[in-house]
Each structure stands twice: as C-alpha cells, then as structure tokens.
Amino acid sequence: MLTQDILNALKGYTANMQKQVNFVLQTGEHSKRGELVTFLSDIAGVSENISFIEKDTQGELRSPLSFLLEADGEDTGIRFSGIPGGHEFNSMILALLHSSGTALKLDDSVVNMVKQVSEPLHFEVFISLSCHNCPDVVQALNQFALVNPNIKAEMIDGGLYKNLVEERDIQGVPSVYLNGELFANGKVDAAALLDKLVERFPQIKEANKGEQLPLQDVTVIGGGPAGVSAAIYSARKGLNVTVVADRFGGQVKDTMGIENLISVPKTTGPELVGNLMEHMNDYDITLKEHVRVESIEQGNIKSITLSSGEVIRTRTIIVATGARWRELGVPGEKENVGNGVAYCPHCDGPFFKGKDVAVIGGGNSGIEAALDLAGIVNSVTVFEFLPELKADQVLVDQATKRNNITILKNVATQEIKASNGKVDKIVYQDRSDEQVHEKALAGVFVQIGLVPNSQFLKDVVDLTSYGEVIIDHKCQTSQSGIFAAGDVTTVPYKQIVVSMGEGSKAALAAFEYLLSHEVEEEDFSSQSTEQSKVA
C-alpha cells in the first residue's frame, strides 16, 4: 500500500522522535481491517520508536477500523476511524510526529486558549479522502487534543461509515461534531473552530491578557500573496514585522491549478502556499495564525485587538485580507470546490478543455467568464436568476454570437451533484413554470461577485459601496499610516501576480511613511535608516 520511497521518506521524518508512539488498533472483524493492519504495520516498521498494538479498548474506539495514538504509553486523544490515505495521510503523519515531540504549528496564543478548556470535548470530523479542505480541520483538532487532555479528536472516513453518515444526514465534508452535536460544517478552518470555542467558552480569551509583542513597525493583516509580499519587503528593510492571518495562504490555498504566475509554468495552490511560507520563514517575521482582527484603534501608534484577546501595538498597518467569492449557498457547492466547482475562469478554465461547463451569473463577470471559457471548453451554459441578463449589451451581443454558449434566464440553481469525487450534474428550476431540470456537465463556475474581507474596517478607513478599501497609487488608505493591497482594495484585476506587486508596493510606501513621520515612542531604528541608504 505504501511505496518504498514513501517508507524511506518516513524514516527520515521519524529519525528525531522524542517519545515512543503506539498505534493502538481495536480488535474485531472488518473486510478492510487487513488493509489497515498492513498500513499501520508498514509505518511502525520505519522506526524503533513506533509500535503497532492490537487490543480491545473497552469501548474507547468506534470499530475494528479505529485506532488511537499513544505517546509514552499515554493516550493522546487522537483517533482515526478508517484508513487515512489520500489527503489524510499527511494528517496521520503529522499526528505521529506531533505526538512524538515535534513542535506544534499552533501560535502560542492559540495554545493558551485551548489549554483553558476544562470540560470533556469529543470532536468527530467526517471527511472524504478526496477532500483537500478536510486535512486542515483534522490537523487543527488533533493539535487541540495534544494541547489539552480534555479534548479528543476523531477523523471518520465517511466512505467507510455510510450508515453513520446516513443516520446524521451528512451531505458534505468536513462535518464536525462536538459531543454528538453538529459543531461546524462546510469550508471551515482552525480560525473558525477557535471562534466557535470562544463562543462556547468565552473565558478562554483571558489566557492571553498581558501577552504582548514589542511595538511593531509594520503589522500586515492577511497571509495571502499580497500579505506575504508586504511582509517580506518590510522585513528586508530591517523593520519589526508581524503577520496576522486567520488562514495562511487565504483563497489561493483552494486553487488546485495555477498556470498564470509568471516564471512558474505550473503549480497548485497548496504548493504555492508552502513556498510562500518557506520564503517568509527566511526572515524574522512574527506570524499570528488562526486568529482574526476584531478592532483597530487609530493614532500615531495604532492598537490591533485580536480574536485571541491579544493587542498588537504598531506604527503602521498593511491590510491584505483579500476577497472571497460570493457563494451560491446550494448543496454540493462547498463540498466540490476544486473537484468541479470553481470561481476563477482564468485560473481553472484550462482544466476543463473540451468539456461541458456552467457559469452561474449573468452579470458582466459571468458573461466575461463564459466568453473566456468558450474558447477552451466544449460548451458553456449560463444560468441567470433574473428574467434578463445584467451584463453590458456589448458583452451579451458577443456571447449570443458564440455557437457553444447557451444562456438560460429566469432559472434558479438548486444543487450541484457529483459522483466519484467529481461534479457531473447541476440541478436547476425554471422559475416561470417551477419545473426542475438536471443538466450533465463537468464544471460549475460561480460568478456572482466577490466579497472583500473588509468587515472589520468599517468606520476605520473609507470603503466603496461594495466594501473595497479605497487606496491611492501608493496603497495609502484614507487614514494616515494604514495601507492596503491586493483583492481587498479598489485595484482592478484580482490576480495573484497583481496582488504580489501591490503588497510589495504597500510595504515600500509604509517604509517611506515611517521615514518621514514622527512617532510617539522610540525613534525609527537606525538599522532601518541605514538599510534605506542601500535599498
């Protein structure tokens, strides 16, 4: 099941284990159990610090396909029900390494909060092995379990527990249950899980009172291409830099194919995010991940209050929180992002060459997407909710001239269906007669607008009616010392390469601002001034 190359790589990863880790598998019979035994035995064979044990856990584990991890004989709280292959293989290996003493990937403020939970919490995460969003949730909860012995985290492969999935009427992954009740589902991440924990246990934020960073020169809000570019350019000037990101990588992390990042012929979102992190780690940059900005207090020295309860004091701010695609909110949408549901025709269109696709939305972005796709795919069907298209007539005229573009008006998308992990149908209703129809296709491009991630900036800086941050040619906002870059701003063309350039420009503008403005506390560092002479 595991190739020799993978096993050799695991030998290297496990060479520095600090604790003995046991895979403890529940005894019993199951048609897939032999495969799981081989899987765990092979992994245990790569290190003398890993053991494989089969025993009756007296109801601690769900079934003969369930196993837990022990570290030096103590239950870690981490459970897997199923065979963690596919995208979940990394989750299992990280759980093994973290259990053995490898440093967690959680910020200290997050660890402080999780440690404060005093009630028993049993998380169940229903996943699909083909889901590329599920591992983020599984890995976050596994780390929560390692931090706090009151927490247990169980990954459940929905494909092997179909009766349980039907019993709970689960229609998408990841679905997270806490103590038997639905806790979160759909496209959730560690920051969202923490928000829900704080809602349940508001007192845990008190753990970070008094935890303060030194005064920062630049605080970047957002960890996508614009934010990372801004952070690196700022750090190269010798500035004290902190990045606050609820989800490092942002929207890019969900893009499975990237072919328009100049000098990089082909990559994926997860690969690019890994490269961004690696590049940023070359510099002395503080990363506050899995937390959000709740409020900003202005002044020469600005105060940023985080969802963790921490307060960051900073001379300048660069907002690079990006935007999120406006979602349809129908069944099958979130579950199939990256498997047939897409939001960017420029990025993902080439992957549907010769196939039939749909575009949801008859505004300018929808018709432009249809025109872009028409030269690549076999056919495009545009679904517009209103009786008439909202797009400019010149675009409508171009679309109607294309033989492979069909426009359906006055229709409501109801569901996106998939089989074998790939989109294959769309269900829609004709609003004139309320008849429901299905159409076979391979992809659905949702083009009903973008939503800037700027809600926390209300009453802080000037925004457009659409929520975009208004900036000038140097990325300066309406407030002195606050800059913005990337998709959250009024800059047109929401593209990775554009965001990177804007982030760099914002950093240079912030540096220029710091050189020319007096501040209330200690003077701008001489190191920064010296670097400016040679920059």
Side-chain angles (χ1 to χ4, degrees):
M1 187 174 179
L2 297 176
T3 67
Q4 192 58 50
D5 286 344
I6 292 175
L7 294 174
N8 289 339
L10 290 178
K11 287 181 181 179
Y13 296 149
T14 58
N16 297 316
M17 291 177 63
Q18 301 170 31
K19 297 180 180 179
Q20 178 75 28
V21 176
N22 299 329
F23 294 133
V24 180
L25 177 64
Q26 173 63 39
T27 55
E29 299 294 328
H30 192 283
S31 60
K32 286 279 189 177
R33 195 168 187 280
E35 185 179 337
L36 180 55
V37 168
T38 300
F39 178 80
L40 295 176
S41 297
D42 286 349
I43 295 174
V46 305
S47 171
E48 61 183 13
N49 290 317
I50 308 173
S51 298
F52 170 55
I53 300 170
E54 298 178 78
K55 73 177 183 180
D56 184 355
T57 60
Q58 303 297 316
E60 188 64 38
L61 291 173
R62 184 176 301 276
S63 80
L65 273 187
S66 301
F67 65 96
L68 59 80
L69 274 65
E70 291 181 341
D72 285 347
E74 297 292 328
D75 186 355
T76 63
I78 297 173
R79 284 105 170 83
F80 290 90
S81 288
I83 305 170
H87 290 299
E88 292 301 338
F89 181 68
N90 285 344
S91 297
M92 208 270 302
I93 298 305
L94 283 173
L96 167 67
L97 296 177
H98 290 152
S99 297
S100 73
T102 299
L104 302 181
K105 294 183 176 181
L106 295 177
D107 185 80
D108 287 345
S109 63
V110 174
V111 171
N112 291 341
M113 287 195 293
V114 174
K115 281 183 175 179
Q116 300 306 307
V117 175
S118 57
E119 297 180 17
L121 304 181
H122 180 195
F123 288 100
E124 302 164 295
V125 189
F126 288 84
I127 61 93
S128 165
L129 296 181
S130 62
C131 168
H132 63 271
N133 292 317
C134 294
D136 286 346
V137 177
V138 173
Q139 291 165 24
L141 291 175
N142 285 347
Q143 291 182 85
F144 288 3
L146 290 171
V147 166
N148 189 328
N150 291 314
I151 298 176
K152 294 179 181 178
E154 179 184 9
M155 181 219 81
I156 303 173
D157 181 358
L160 294 177
Y161 290 86
K162 293 181 179 179
N163 290 341
L164 189 55
V165 168
E166 291 175 2
E167 177 187 317
R168 301 197 188 184
D169 194 27
I170 295 171
Q171 298 181 347
V173 292
S175 284
V176 183
Y177 283 74
L178 173 57
N179 296 343
E181 296 183 357
L182 185 64
F183 183 73
N185 63 355
K187 197 174 172 183
V188 296
D189 53 30
L193 295 173
L194 278 169
D195 286 344
K196 289 182 174 295
L197 271 184
V198 170
E199 287 177 15
R200 194 180 183 104
F201 307 106
Q203 70 277 11
I204 67 176
K205 290 176 66 172
E206 297 296 319
N208 290 315
K209 290 294 176 67
E211 291 285 329
Q212 300 289 335
L213 287 170
L215 176 67
Q216 297 296 290
D217 296 316
V218 178
T219 298
V220 180
I221 306 173
V228 174
S229 296
I232 289 173
Y233 262 70
S234 297
R236 286 176 62 84
K237 293 295 185 182
L239 305 177
N240 292 326
V241 183
T242 289
V243 173
V244 178
D246 59 353
R247 182 175 183 242
F248 189 84
Q251 186 175 294
V252 167
K253 199 169 185 178
D254 299 327
T255 304
M256 288 299 101
I258 299 171
E259 295 180 348
N260 58 355
L261 182 58
I262 308 306
S263 84
V264 183
K266 188 173 183 178
T267 187
T268 68
E271 288 173 337
L272 177 57
V273 170
N275 291 337
L276 290 173
M277 178 67 84
E278 183 179 1
H279 194 176
M280 198 175 81
N281 285 341
D282 287 340
Y283 297 89
D284 187 14
I285 297 171
T286 300
L287 174 61
K288 308 292 292 183
E289 193 178 5
H290 308 317
V291 295
R292 294 176 295 97
V293 171
E294 290 192 338
S295 64
I296 295 174
E297 183 180 333
Q298 300 188 55
N300 285 341
I301 302 297
K302 305 164 201 331
S303 294
I304 302 173
T305 300
L306 305 182
S307 56
S308 61
E310 295 172 282
V311 176
I312 297 175
R313 299 169 64 255
T314 184
R315 293 181 169 99
T316 63
I317 296 171
I318 298 175
V319 178
T321 45
R324 60 193 184 278
W325 295 103
R326 192 182 301 277
E327 298 174 347
L328 283 168
V330 301
E333 180 185 17
K334 289 184 177 181
E335 300 91 326
N336 292 299
V337 172
N339 293 309
V341 173
Y343 298 88
C344 180
H346 306 292
C347 304
D348 299 330
F351 297 99
F352 295 87
K353 184 176 181 179
K355 298 180 179 179
D356 299 315
V357 303
V359 171
I360 312 299
N364 282 348
S365 60
I367 300 303
E368 287 174 351
L371 290 167
D372 285 341
L373 292 165
I376 301 169
V377 304
N378 180 56
S379 71
V380 182
T381 303
V382 177
F383 292 77
E384 168 55 41
F385 182 80
L386 297 175
E388 297 299 331
L389 298 177
K390 303 184 293 294
D392 295 341
Q393 191 59 46
V394 63
L395 293 174
V396 175
D397 291 342
Q398 290 183 50
T400 54
K401 291 177 183 177
R402 299 292 184 98
N403 293 330
N404 64 341
I405 295 180
T406 301
I407 298 175
L408 301 180
K409 295 178 282 189
N410 206 27
V411 296
T413 304
Q414 293 190 328
E415 184 178 0
I416 298 169
K417 292 186 174 182
S419 61
N420 299 319
K422 298 292 182 183
V423 166
D424 63 355
K425 291 184 183 71
I426 189 168
V427 180
Y428 65 96
Q429 182 185 55
D430 187 326
R431 298 176 64 217
S432 63
D433 58 15
E434 298 187 348
Q435 291 294 309
V436 176
H437 307 272
E438 282 192 359
K439 183 174 180 59
L441 41 72
V444 177
F445 287 81
V446 181
Q447 293 289 291
I448 55 175
L450 286 170
V451 181
N453 295 316
S454 61
Q455 50 272 36
F456 68 99
L457 293 171
K458 185 180 179 181
D459 300 326
V460 177
V461 298
D462 289 346
L463 308 174
T464 68
S465 59
Y466 299 104
E468 292 178 321
V469 180
I470 299 171
I471 59 172
D472 65 13
H473 65 289
K474 286 190 174 182
C475 299
Q476 174 70 57
T477 70
S478 59
Q479 292 298 320
S480 178
I482 301 181
F483 303 83
D487 289 4
V488 74
T489 73
T490 49
V491 169
Y493 312 121
K494 313 303 186 184
Q495 296 290 296
I496 295 171
V497 69
V498 174
S499 291
M500 287 180 169
E502 289 293 303
S504 304
K505 186 167 67 173
L508 295 173
F511 180 70
E512 183 179 77
Y513 169 90
L514 287 168
L515 289 177
S516 59
H517 285 71
E518 294 292 333
V519 295
E520 291 178 353
E521 297 199 10
E522 60 267 15
D523 291 334
F524 190 51
S525 68
S526 60
Q527 179 185 5
S528 300
T529 306
E530 287 301 314
Q531 288 201 3
S532 71
K533 296 176 182 177
V534 297

